[in-house]
Amino acid sequence: MLRKKSIAVVGILALAIACMQNEQDKIIRVQEEEQTSFDVSKFTGNINRDGRMIVEEVSEAFAGFLGKSIAEHGVLGSIGFCNENAFPFMDSLAHYYGVNLKRTALRYRNPDNKPDTLDRIMLENMEKEAAQGAEPGPKSIKFSSGESVYYSPIIMKPLCLQCHGIKMRGDIQDEVWAKIRELYPEDVAYDFNLNELRGAWGVLFPNEYRARRGKPDPIAIPK
Ligand code: HEC
């Protein structure tokens, strides 16, 4: 119980720090907190490998909770899951891995996910790759400060169509559409097709990053 609370609080702190960041220097400070037991064998300290692993685990966790929420509360009832939980959930996982995490997209729903200059360059590059028929791949960038950022494409899956799919085709139910418009009046994150590039995960590694984290467990999920 106690741990759950402290992780949630740290999540909020991390979010506050992330919000205060200057877009120019992209420096991410990660809370240095007590480290408990981690399955370090899975993590190597190499940002490309760890970045891929983190994205795999985080996107799996996201899709898993979203799928469960849809099964229990329906699509309409799950918009709240994304609305209220996406940020705290991401932040608690980020803290768990000792990195900072973001989801961003050229066409975004929540303006808090708006791409910064570097995000935009990376996303446009992925779009270009996709337009040429290639599968956009992950990319990483190392800054002279020692920080690194790993970008990984987010691709549309069947589940996603229900909230990001093609409106005219009827992918998004009317009541779901109405709720999305109400919560996000400026939303442009729809009319995506299956397998289309939806956006990207960004994993920001601090320069003191060491492979030190294991698989997140359910206590990282905020209520
Ligand atoms: C139940 C509706 C719903 C489903 C299903 C859904 N999303 Fe979303 N998605 C949302 C909402 C609502 C937001 C805004 C969350 C927030 O406020 O941060 C969002 C935000 C996002 C973002 C962040 C960028 C932005 O547009 O703000 C990405 C990327 C994304 N979704 C991808 C996906 C993918 C990929 C899937 C399928 C695995 C998916 N979504 C399924 C509702 C949904």
Side-chain angles (χ1 to χ4, degrees), residues 5 18 20 26 36 48 51 68 76 89 91 95 114 133 135 137-138 144 156 158 160 164 179 182:
K5 213 174 207 165
M20 290 185 305
K26 299 204 103 283
T36 46
N48 287 316
K68 189 162 170 272
L76 182 62
F89 185 42
D91 286 323
H95 174 71
K114 182 178 170 183
E135 201 177 298
S144 54
M156 285 289 290
C160 322
H164 298 295
K179 183 79 190 165
E182 181 196 322

Side-chain angles (χ1 to χ4, degrees), residues 1-174:
M1 277 316 260
L2 232 171
R3 175 119 191 264
K4 188 177 188 174
K5 213 174 207 165
S6 76
I7 286 178
V9 169
V10 168
I12 290 160
L13 274 178
L15 176 60
I17 291 168
C19 292
M20 290 185 305
Q21 267 165 44
N22 178 340
E23 277 205 4
Q24 297 298 336
D25 65 9
K26 299 204 103 283
I27 290 174
I28 303 304
R29 275 146 295 161
V30 172
Q31 293 282 116
E32 281 305 324
E33 285 269 317
E34 81 310 334
Q35 314 288 318
T36 46
S37 57
F38 305 111
D39 175 12
V40 278
S41 63
K42 292 183 73 179
F43 290 81
T44 59
N46 171 312
I47 61 143
N48 287 316
R49 293 174 64 170
D50 288 10
R52 191 179 44 150
M53 191 111 67
I54 291 170
V55 168
E56 266 170 23
E57 295 202 341
V58 169
S59 48
E60 224 170 78
F62 238 80
F65 282 97
L66 188 56
K68 189 162 170 272
S69 175
I70 290 176
E72 283 172 11
H73 311 290
V75 179
L76 182 62
S78 299
I79 298 170
F81 170 87
C82 301
N83 181 240
E84 288 155 33
N85 288 334
F87 274 100
F89 185 42
M90 244 167 14
D91 286 323
S92 63
L93 288 169
H95 174 71
Y96 201 83
Y97 290 115
V99 297
N100 221 299
L101 271 175
K102 66 158 98 173
R103 275 193 317 169
T104 186
L106 292 171
R107 277 152 58 200
Y108 50 85
R109 178 153 290 168
N110 184 336
D112 290 343
N113 297 322
K114 182 178 170 183
D116 63 22
T117 312
L118 180 63
D119 297 339
R120 186 166 285 280
I121 292 169
M122 301 308 281
L123 286 162
E124 281 170 356
N125 194 53
M126 286 179 190
E127 292 254 317
K128 216 175 279 169
E129 282 179 323
Q132 287 162 356
E135 201 177 298
K139 306 265 176 324
S140 62
I141 291 174
K142 217 168 166 52
F143 299 102
S144 54
S145 60
E147 280 106 10
S148 318
V149 55
Y150 174 89
Y151 285 94
S152 181
I154 300 176
I155 306 293
M156 285 289 290
K157 307 224 166 59
L159 171 78
C160 322
L161 290 171
Q162 301 174 90
C163 295
H164 298 295
I166 298 177
K167 177 71 177 82
M168 291 287 281
R169 191 167 65 189
D171 289 348
I172 309 175
Q173 292 162 15
D174 288 345

Side-chain angles (χ1 to χ4, degrees), residues 107 156 161 164-166 189-194 196-198:
R107 277 152 58 200
M156 285 289 290
L161 290 171
H164 298 295
I166 298 177
Y190 58 92
D191 281 353
F192 286 93
N193 213 345
L194 197 59
E196 200 178 326
L197 180 71
R198 167 69 182 85

